[in-house]
Amino acid sequence: MAQNEERIQRQYEDAKAVYAGFGVDTDEALAEFRRIPLSLHCWQGDDVKGFEDVGDVASQNLVTGQYPGAARNGDELRADMDMAFRLSPCRHRVNLHSMYAEPKTPTPRNKLTTEDFRRWIEWAKANGYGLDFNASFFTHPMMADGFSLASRRREVRDYWVEAGKGAREIAADMGRELGTPCINNIWVPDGLKDMPANRLLYREHLRESLDRIFEKRLDRSLMRDVLEGKVFGIGTESFTVGSHEFYLAYAAGHHVGICMDTGHYHPTENVADKLSAVVPLIDDVLLHISRGLRWDSDHVLIQGDDLSALMQEMKRGGFFHQVGMGLDYFDASINRVAAWVIGLRAAGKAMLTALLEPSALLEQPEADGDFTARLALTEEFKNLPANAAWEYLCLQEGVPVGTDWLTVLRRYEQDVQSKRR
């Protein structure tokens, strides 16, 4: 065994003994980690452009930076994702938007079928990835004045309702073929820059459109529907039709799920606090994990208190397997594959640290009213040797340890990405 591997093994055995002193079995925590998937968002790899030729239309997603080497087609995007996965010890899924279809002939977005994603499905099947899906309700000529499902124009709503219905069927087929439920997420950017004359009118349109999309009951063992709300967006500062309150009420009344994007709330809101309020009452919950510095800035996910709190909440509440997790950010100022890897490894480290936490030892002091001990233990547990377990996990999964992954990525950038023009 190489010297570095001996060090990792020795440090893991030491950490294992430390955790055992608190009643934690590190081997069990690692086994649990391997059962919890993270869904990687395809749109980081090409700056949310997709593969369609829709002409010169406005985009509802602002991506900054001009780092070279963006993926230009499905083969390049899949190769980049494969590279990211080789540098992450997590269990992986892939989140696709419908604008990444690869039809044999040009096909309108509202006419896409499962076969237009055949190459994605076969790739996922060959590599053991699950797939999640979204209809792309943005960057399209049928976005009338920035509206889709909530548009005043019936023909616009009809177009996007058809796209939404098709996306659900595609998601069900993906779940059927891959043997794991596909989470189908709906997010629309519909809203207004300034104060509307009648908010209710647009929300009635959105409700009616959603009712039509969800008319057909689909097998939940194949696909799960979730709705993603937002506080506001660039160009929709005064009014967003699909607010958190609207979708939460709709989901509760119609037995669909909720997607909680950590960048879509006010900066002072704690998304971790919201999970236990929603998970027991809503059929399905999906987390889109991002890093909003001022708000929904979609910065690359890194380790921090907010991320740790999310993972701790799911561990302490015992609902890791009731909440889907996907990454959601886009940054073109750095290497795009590196952005994926940094986010995957950050999420993985936070998740493993939470799984290793002696959470049960916090419950008894609280039950006894000993809040001094609870706070003291919470602080002490932050310094347990979780990184030793992380390095051991990477070694076991054949993933570069520490900063070694950056060397591998630089080689990929030189040999592959730099040749894209």
Side-chain angles (χ1 to χ4, degrees):
M1 182 181 290
Q3 185 176 5
N4 193 45
E5 293 181 2
E6 291 177 355
R7 175 191 64 78
I8 293 170
Q9 181 72 48
R10 183 175 64 255
Q11 290 180 341
Y12 176 68
E13 293 301 327
D14 290 343
K16 187 174 183 178
V18 172
Y19 277 106
F22 290 101
V24 176
D25 186 324
T26 57
D27 290 336
E28 286 186 4
L30 292 177
E32 179 71 359
F33 179 94
R34 292 182 173 100
R35 291 191 287 269
I36 302 172
L38 283 172
S39 196
L40 193 65
H41 54 310
C42 73
W43 49 94
Q44 161 61 34
D46 79 327
D47 308 336
V48 205
K49 293 177 181 174
F51 305 146
E52 300 171 320
D53 182 9
V54 293
D56 185 17
V57 296
S59 174
Q60 284 73 39
N61 298 283
L62 178 63
V63 183
T64 56
Q66 295 181 325
Y67 200 93
R72 301 165 297 183
N73 53 57
D75 289 336
E76 291 181 352
L77 191 54
R78 285 185 286 270
D80 286 354
M81 298 186 89
D82 280 333
M83 172 52 64
F85 290 153
R86 286 198 288 271
L87 302 177
S88 158
C90 302
R91 180 183 171 191
H92 300 119
R93 298 175 65 88
V94 173
N95 194 357
L96 277 178
H97 258 284
S98 63
M99 63 197 297
Y100 292 86
E102 297 171 285
K104 293 180 180 178
T105 58
T107 304
R109 205 179 288 179
N110 65 330
K111 300 294 183 182
L112 293 171
T113 69
T114 303
E115 289 309 305
D116 297 320
F117 298 89
R118 177 55 50 194
R119 299 184 70 185
W120 285 106
I121 294 171
E122 295 305 321
W123 169 74
K125 191 180 300 183
N127 289 281
Y129 309 146
L131 287 178
D132 297 312
F133 197 64
N134 313 255
S136 305
F137 295 93
F138 51 81
T139 318
H140 194 275
M142 286 299 287
M143 292 296 296
D145 300 317
F147 282 86
S148 59
L149 294 177
S151 174
R152 287 174 173 266
R153 293 165 50 185
R154 178 74 185 198
E155 68 273 18
V156 172
R157 300 200 304 275
D158 287 347
Y159 180 93
W160 291 112
V161 165
E162 188 174 13
K165 287 182 175 181
R168 298 184 71 230
E169 298 287 352
I170 292 167
D173 287 341
M174 287 176 171
R176 181 180 296 105
E177 294 201 39
L178 297 175
T180 176
C182 175
I183 300 179
N184 178 64
N185 184 35
I186 291 179
W187 171 75
V188 299
D190 299 27
L192 290 169
K193 184 174 182 64
D194 219 327
M195 294 175 291
N198 186 348
R199 285 178 169 83
L200 183 59
L201 180 147
Y202 295 103
R203 286 182 170 142
E204 286 178 339
H205 286 329
L206 179 55
R207 182 181 63 178
E208 186 262 350
S209 293
L210 292 174
D211 287 347
R212 293 163 64 196
I213 288 174
F214 295 133
E215 277 176 348
K216 183 177 179 180
R217 302 290 293 183
L218 295 176
D219 190 340
R220 290 184 71 255
S221 71
L222 303 179
M223 65 86 66
R224 311 285 174 85
D225 292 300
V226 296
L227 300 168
E228 180 179 352
K230 200 168 187 176
V231 176
F232 69 92
I234 296 175
T236 58
E237 290 85 357
S238 291
F239 174 56
T240 297
V241 186
S243 65
H244 296 293
E245 294 81 3
F246 176 90
Y247 283 141
L248 191 60
Y250 188 95
H254 294 77
H255 299 290
V256 295
I258 284 292
C259 173
M260 306 174 79
D261 187 308
T262 59
H264 285 188
Y265 295 84
H266 292 292
T268 55
E269 289 188 274
N270 182 357
V271 179
D273 175 64
K274 301 176 185 298
L275 283 173
S276 61
V278 173
V279 168
L281 303 171
I282 298 295
D283 285 359
D284 297 292
V285 176
L286 171 66
L287 276 177
H288 271 186
I289 309 176
S290 181
R291 176 168 59 108
L293 287 187
R294 294 294 179 265
W295 174 67
D296 189 29
S297 53
D298 287 301
H299 283 68
V300 176
L301 186 67
I302 60 173
Q303 297 176 77
D305 290 345
D306 289 349
L307 178 58
S308 295
L310 281 176
M311 299 300 179
Q312 286 173 344
E313 186 71 13
M314 287 184 281
K315 191 292 175 74
R316 295 175 184 179
F319 47 82
F320 256 124
H321 294 282
Q322 293 174 256
V323 177
M325 290 188 288
L327 306 189
D328 184 4
Y329 51 81
F330 30 84
D331 187 344
S333 69
I334 66 174
N335 184 292
R336 294 167 181 81
V337 179
W340 273 327
V341 177
I342 292 167
L344 281 171
R345 291 173 73 101
K349 289 176 185 178
M351 181 165 65
L352 181 58
T353 301
L355 290 170
L356 289 166
E357 183 191 67
S359 307
L361 299 185
L362 300 175
E363 295 248 5
Q364 192 58 54
E366 184 169 302
D368 295 340
D370 187 354
F371 303 135
T372 301
R374 182 196 61 189
L375 184 59
L377 289 173
T378 299
E379 283 300 290
E380 291 301 321
F381 292 165
K382 291 178 180 178
N383 297 304
L384 290 174
N387 196 61
W390 171 261
E391 290 194 340
Y392 178 76
L393 172 68
C394 289
L395 183 65
Q396 293 291 301
E397 297 297 319
V399 171
V401 175
T403 59
D404 290 349
W405 70 267
L406 193 54
T407 302
V408 178
L409 181 65
R410 290 302 190 198
R411 190 178 309 120
Y412 181 75
E413 181 175 19
Q414 179 179 340
D415 295 344
V416 179
Q417 293 175 293
S418 67
K419 294 178 172 56
R420 297 172 185 169
R421 296 289 185 266

